[in-house]
Structures are given as structure tokens and as C-alpha cells.
Amino acid sequence: MSTETIVGSRGLADLLKSETWDLHKEAETTGFINQVLRGTASLPSYISFLKNLKPIYETMESSRRWLETYPRLKPYIGEPIARTHAIETDLVHLRTFCKKPVCPAISPNTLTYQADIKKALMQNHPAMLAHIYVRYLGDLNGGLVLQRLLGKNFGLPEECLNFYNFPKIDNVSGFKKDFRKALNDIALPEDDEDRAIEAAKNAFRFNVALSTTLTG
């Protein structure tokens, strides 16, 4: 049975944005992501970045059962936005493109974050709303900028940058708008709202921690 209700003047996506703003900005100006923006990142670091994101998306995309609680989100969570296959494809192409052998390790931070997502999936937890907000809306909003910079900085061909492409979404701008509205149309009890906020903060903390480990 759905537990959704219609919200008032302040939606969940807007709330998550305001409550995580400082961490969001920190994630954009820290470590590897900052190096990408400045044009100083290394290609092996980018490969490690994707390698660490792969188990995160695999876990998020392993089950859609939690969506029974939030049916408004069903049109936006699925194959068109799934990133696992795109990451796998990029890693295959990058192995042949990168002249330096790379054997990236999975960060302990990744395993902790992955465990948090598994727990949220098993419990149909409102934390999943935070995870999709940080991951998928982040990919949709910042992906084109990173794609352009990575292509320019490393001379990467398009087949190495599938992670930032959404070929099954005809209108990315409209999709983002509708996806965000669907999140805003979900009201949570105060305790669940607090859990979602904390999960979003932890997701950004993971981004900062992972990015920091990949500098150099």
C-alpha cells in the first residue's frame, strides 16, 4: 500500500537541496572532482572513480520493490536512467584507451555507502529517496559538464563517456523537471523526513570522501 501524500508548499527535493547545500558545494570543490573542473585530474583516477561508483549503482538498481511505496517515482526509476551498464561499457573502453595499466581498488567508503543503500532497499526505507536524489538528479544535472571536461582533458572519445549519456530519455531537461516534481510531491512523516535528509548528507559525505582518496 502506498504511503504517499501530497505535500504543501515545500517539497522533498527542495528540502533535500537546501539541507545539503553546503555539502553539495564541498563535493564540487574537493579532491578529484575539483581536479576535473581545473583540468588537472588523471585518467587512472577517473577509472578508479567509475570503478567505485559501479557497486553503488549495481546495488541501487538491483531492486525496484521499494517503489511500491512511492508510485509517483515509477516513471523515472528504471532502464532509461540506470547507470550500471553505462559504467561497465565505459570501463571496458577505458581499459584499452588508457596506456597505463590501472588496477583500481574499492574504497572502504564505497563499501560503507553500498551497505547503507542495501539496508534502505531491504526496508523500503525513505533513505532511498535521498539516494536517488543525490545520484540520479546529480548525474542529470552535472553530467554534461563533466562529460565535456573529461572529453577535453583526456581526449576521450564518446564511447568512453556513456556514463553521462541518457539516450533513452528524449528530453533530459523535461525529464529532470518532472522527476524533481515527483520527489516534491512526496510528503513524509517528520521522522522519515529527517532520515531522508541524513541519508542525503551521508551520500554527499561519501562523494567528498571518495573524491579525496582519488587525488594525485
Side-chain angles (χ1 to χ4, degrees):
M1 180 181 295
S2 171
T3 61
E4 286 185 290
T5 57
I6 299 296
V7 298
S9 60
R10 194 181 195 196
L12 180 62
D14 294 337
L15 178 64
L16 293 176
K17 179 178 180 178
S18 64
E19 293 293 328
T20 61
W21 182 253
D22 290 344
L23 283 166
H24 189 171
K25 299 311 292 184
E26 182 180 358
E28 290 180 339
T29 56
T30 300
F32 168 74
I33 296 300
N34 186 45
Q35 289 182 336
V36 171
L37 296 175
R38 294 169 55 192
T40 61
S42 71
L43 186 54
S45 290
Y46 178 57
I47 294 173
S48 294
F49 176 71
L50 288 180
K51 184 74 172 181
N52 276 272
L53 288 184
K54 182 171 176 282
I56 301 303
Y57 286 95
E58 283 178 330
T59 302
M60 289 183 65
E61 294 161 9
S62 64
S63 173
R64 299 181 67 195
R65 187 175 59 184
W66 66 275
L67 285 168
E68 297 303 319
T69 309
Y70 307 105
R72 283 184 180 82
L73 295 175
K74 285 185 177 182
Y76 310 101
I77 306 297
E79 188 177 358
I81 202 172
R83 296 293 84 199
T84 299
H85 179 67
I87 293 174
E88 291 172 342
T89 301
D90 285 349
L91 286 171
V92 169
H93 288 297
L94 285 165
R95 288 191 194 104
T96 60
F97 188 85
C98 185
K99 297 178 182 179
K100 180 179 179 180
V102 181
C103 297
I106 300 297
S107 165
N109 295 310
T110 298
L111 298 178
T112 299
Y113 184 36
Q114 183 185 28
D116 288 345
I117 295 173
K118 285 181 179 178
K119 182 178 179 180
L121 276 174
M122 291 175 62
Q123 298 178 351
N124 294 337
H125 198 286
M128 282 306 301
L129 301 172
H131 294 311
I132 66 167
Y133 168 82
V134 175
R135 298 257 64 92
Y136 292 132
L137 275 179
D139 297 337
L140 288 163
N141 283 319
L144 287 178
V145 174
L146 289 176
Q147 182 187 51
R148 177 176 57 81
L149 290 173
L150 289 164
K152 176 183 177 181
N153 295 345
F154 302 137
L156 294 177
E158 187 174 344
E159 59 263 28
C160 292
L161 296 167
N162 291 283
F163 180 54
Y164 305 101
N165 284 327
F166 296 87
K168 295 185 178 182
I169 299 176
D170 294 331
N171 182 345
V172 172
S173 179
F175 185 93
K176 286 191 297 184
K177 181 179 178 180
D178 293 343
F179 187 5
R180 189 176 191 90
K181 183 181 185 302
L183 278 170
N184 272 332
D185 282 347
I186 296 173
L188 298 175
E190 186 175 352
D191 287 349
D192 284 348
E193 193 175 81
D194 290 342
R195 293 186 183 101
I197 291 170
E198 188 58 29
K201 289 181 177 179
N202 284 336
F204 278 114
R205 291 180 185 122
F206 160 74
N207 290 348
V208 171
L210 176 62
S211 188
T212 300
T213 65
L214 296 178
T215 55

